[in-house]
Amino acid sequence: MTESDGAPFALADDQEASPARRPSQSPAEAAILASGLDVAPREMPALIRRVERRMPADAETVRTALIETRRRAWIARLNDLANRAGRNWVRRAEAETAAGTIRELEPDDATLLAALDAAIASRLRGLGPTPEAALEAIAAELTETGSGSLSADRHAALAREVAGAFGLRDGAEIDFLDAAGAVESRRRREQREAADAARSKRREEVQRLRAWERSLVDSRALPKLLGATEREVLRWVGQGLIPIARRIPVRGKGQEKWEFDPKEVTALRPQVQAWRDTTGRPRDPAAPVVLRPGRAGNAAIARVAALDRYAGHFATARALNRRITLVTGPTNSGKSHTALDRLAASSSGMALAPLRLLAHEFREALASRGVAASLVTGEERMPVPGSRHLAATVEMCPFHNPVDVALIDEAQMLGDRDRGAAWTAAIMGAPAREVFVLGAPECATLVRRIARLCDDEMDEVTLQRKNPLVAARNPVGLGDLQTGDALVAFSRRDVLDLRAELVKRGRRVAVVYGALSPEVRRAEAARFRNGDADVLVATDAIGMGLNLPIRRVVFSTLRKFDGEARRDLNSQEVKQIGGRAGRYGQHEEGIVAVLAGGGSPDFIRAMLSAAPTVPEDPRPLVQPDADIIAAVAAEIGSDSLFGVLARIKRAVLRADDPNYRLADLTQAMAVASAIDGVPGLSLLDRWTYALCPVDERDNGVARLARWAVEHGAGRPVPPPMAGRLPAADRAAREELERAEKVHKRLVAWRWLALRFETAYPDREAALAETTRLDRWIEEVLRQQRRSKLVF
């Protein structure tokens, strides 16, 4: 009996001590009483249920059931003991493993801790082949999972546990502990120095920006600076010829105070006579202004950055006589078929996709047409010697190698706040004579504008869906889902919860969500396609790629969190996701429905029939590249990446630029702030780190900073490792999520390894760990019984 069990289960007076069964007793209760074991009253209900499942039950059976009943309390006690001792590297899984080895009914703390120590030692040995590797892995894991960084004392205590796990004794243990302590001290010192240097640089750059802002003047100074009249100046400001450096809202008046950079304005003085020679007619604000070199709009910094003349940045594309063919249509309208045929028939070409998964599909589609294509994504290269065709993700578009045909898919991503600038660059810069741009009808406005800015000829092809897409009349109950249905949720948690409920109801379920690798997504899609799963539960990750035989798409809810607020789905989302229903050639129509309690079918009907929406801001997103970063740094005389990005944000592309809008640089600036002080890294090295795909919610920026310190010091950065994984049929949801996060960290590591081969050398180990995690995650998701994963 444990301390928390309370008094033993008391027998009633008429029972005395006899094991004889009373008429009111269940067989299980009688077996418990007959065993003679002390049972606390609050343990009795759970114990009876366990014994009932084992009837007929003897004393040993009851004893085993009682141990299982008390195991939860032992786990809680072990977690408490670990927390009190500051052993924050202890997982609940170790406590569960330890409790599972206890065979005593009333173990004391020493017995419990001995079992816990054995479980932890086993886990530590599974983290790496050497104690050094295991210590590195467990310390990194604590930082990565947000469990808290270790103090020097706690790190030393962890090192002692690692030494014990690997059986180090006497001199070997002392040598290991001394070396581990020295490495940790050096690492802490270097990271502290890098952080201090980054803060110092940021302060300097902020002071530099403030000095620039103090130098600004209002409109009254413009006539003197330009040698013009006040009336002329006002007209030129209105025409956008004189850039506004800063707009300051005037409180309570609904007006703005405009300020100007005197150096920038003075540099425009040679243009004054040309401005006077024009008609003076104001520009049509709806028409793009294509600024040519020499027709000034910004001063030195803006001229070297040339973001307001972004189309001209792609010299190879501008040297070609390009023709853009925009192919728009809903899902299942065959947009890519004609473009792929034309690409395959060309002597050279490229197909650009939004996802690594789709880049692989383009490569396979070309192969099916007899054309071998190389593959380039952010984290992998698969060259085909002699091939003049390429399948790639959009961000990897090669801007300097002319080809005959380019295909750019999912152009509605132009409006995406995180990745839209990559589509702008690809469409403007694809060095091909024929450029096929494919997308939903919503992309047409932005693509037309880009074509005008590039002076490219443009054709438009509009396709219709090959079979009808209809809204269901009534909501669908969870129990009414049928084979071939896809149930769509908008978070990983909701997907797994819905999967758990369906599995409990005896359904075979496949799942697809964003945290899964392309390989696992394809495996899950194959299970659904091959009939190994009845129902697919997915996030909006099925909205792009993954050709699936879905009969009906059922939304679990008609609202989603978009990163800023919870809102209703818009028409493009309903059409894009719902349009996956009714694959042509397999179903006569596609049906779009909503789960009972998730919203109204009338809303779906209205969204499906809505006209394509026009973007609120028709200006394409742009962002700097390495050439622009280097040019601005040289112009302002700064080696600070944060300072360069801050100046670009403040002084290069104005918020009122008539042609373009600047992409969100928030994450890039956060990375810059973290690594600006790392010695041994050039400005462009740091810019590369700022572009690395990381998840800020998973401490991605801090992780990049740690990797950058190792890189800058000339030490190899080891790839992230997941360590020992439990059997797939015993994996808890927490363990699945941890494996998914390690996989995403490996994506970032492999991305950097392709750019810094010396600093990230162990690519084979990273690929092997990626493959191992893919297979394990896939096996976990295949489990179709009600396991710990569903709780």
Side-chain angles (χ1 to χ4, degrees), residues 664-721:
D664 185 8
L665 298 177
T666 302
Q667 181 165 303
M669 294 184 75
V671 175
S673 295
I675 68 173
D676 245 355
V678 175
L681 295 184
S682 70
L683 174 72
L684 294 184
D685 287 343
R686 283 174 271 137
W687 173 240
T688 300
Y689 271 91
L691 296 175
C692 182
V694 295
D695 186 353
E696 288 189 86
R697 296 169 298 180
D698 185 34
N699 303 307
V701 173
R703 184 182 316 110
L704 283 182
R706 292 193 298 274
W707 290 354
V709 168
E710 297 298 301
H711 176 185
R715 293 186 293 270
V717 180
M721 296 288 175

Side-chain angles (χ1 to χ4, degrees), residues 444-605:
T445 300
L446 280 165
V447 176
R448 292 179 193 126
R449 191 177 187 92
I450 289 173
R452 291 200 298 270
L453 287 165
C454 294
D455 284 340
D456 287 334
E457 296 294 328
M458 179 172 153
D459 299 320
E460 294 192 42
V461 177
T462 301
L463 301 178
Q464 302 300 319
R465 186 180 166 90
K466 294 181 178 180
N467 59 2
L469 188 66
V470 299
R473 294 184 178 181
N474 300 306
V476 177
L478 194 63
D480 297 326
L481 290 175
Q482 302 171 7
T483 299
D485 283 349
L487 180 58
V488 176
F490 293 98
S491 73
R492 173 188 182 278
R493 178 183 295 274
D494 287 346
V495 165
L496 293 180
D497 285 345
L498 289 166
R499 173 195 185 276
E501 183 60 31
L502 288 168
V503 168
K504 189 166 64 175
R505 294 169 182 246
R507 308 307 297 272
R508 298 177 302 164
V509 184
V511 295
V512 170
Y513 50 90
L516 298 178
S517 71
E519 288 75 15
V520 176
R521 291 192 213 183
R522 293 182 79 168
E524 288 293 287
R527 290 181 53 228
F528 180 73
R529 188 182 299 113
N530 299 336
D532 295 332
D534 308 315
V535 177
L536 176 69
V537 182
T539 61
D540 48 0
I542 64 167
M544 286 189 289
L546 291 177
N547 294 325
L548 295 164
I550 298 171
R551 185 186 69 87
R552 179 172 62 173
V553 166
V554 181
F555 287 96
S556 66
T557 175
L558 298 177
R559 293 176 61 80
K560 66 177 287 188
F561 180 74
D562 63 2
E564 295 182 353
R566 187 167 173 80
R567 59 166 176 80
D568 291 339
L569 300 179
N570 59 44
S571 62
Q572 199 273 330
E573 290 166 336
V574 173
K575 293 173 185 175
Q576 183 77 16
I577 301 168
R580 294 295 165 185
R583 191 71 189 167
Y584 181 68
Q586 295 173 307
H587 302 286
E588 292 184 1
E589 65 179 5
I591 303 171
V592 186
V594 63
L595 200 64
S600 169
D602 292 337
F603 177 86
I604 293 177
R605 192 171 297 108

